[in-house]
Amino acid sequence: MPRIAEARAAAAPSSRNQIARRERIIAAAAELGARHGFDAVQMHDVAKDAGVAIATLYRYFPSKTHLFTAVFHAEIRAYSETRRPAEGATPSRRPPTSWSA
């Protein structure tokens, strides 16, 4: 019978160092994913590029799917922060947005 890890929730960082470590992991995964594609990314390579132990990576991200969900969330958050509407603008008064920007 194949060995399957028990499903568990990801650990949440609580200190400034833990938050920075988690952000390094996300940045490394984003870079590797952009360079090689999701399927080619290995968790070991992400840990190495982020400068963390593989156990640390799995503590915050139990699977590659969890990791890339965080990558996509970070990218969407960064994009939305750069696309904030002018203060007081309502959707009907905002200029149309272009997805090619």
Side-chain angles (χ1 to χ4, degrees):
M1 176 174 255
R3 182 178 163 194
I4 299 173
E6 184 177 322
R8 64 165 185 79
S14 57
S15 72
R16 193 175 325 172
N17 286 340
Q18 290 173 342
I19 292 167
R21 201 173 297 126
R22 185 178 185 278
E23 289 174 358
R24 280 198 323 269
I25 293 168
I26 292 170
E31 177 64 30
L32 287 168
R35 224 180 312 145
H36 303 295
F38 174 82
D39 290 335
V41 174
Q42 299 293 313
M43 296 294 267
H44 176 79
D45 294 331
V46 173
K48 181 180 171 189
D49 285 10
V52 301
I54 191 75
T56 301
L57 182 137
Y58 279 110
R59 177 175 180 236
Y60 295 115
F61 306 101
S63 71
K64 190 162 83 167
T65 301
H66 287 89
L67 174 57
F68 277 90
T69 299
V71 169
F72 297 144
H73 179 75
E75 293 294 323
I76 290 168
R77 184 179 54 235
Y79 176 78
S80 67
E81 288 173 359
T82 64
R83 304 286 295 183
R84 295 239 184 249
E87 196 169 314
T90 62
S92 63
R93 294 185 181 171
R94 289 184 208 145
T97 59
S98 169
W99 288 103
S100 62

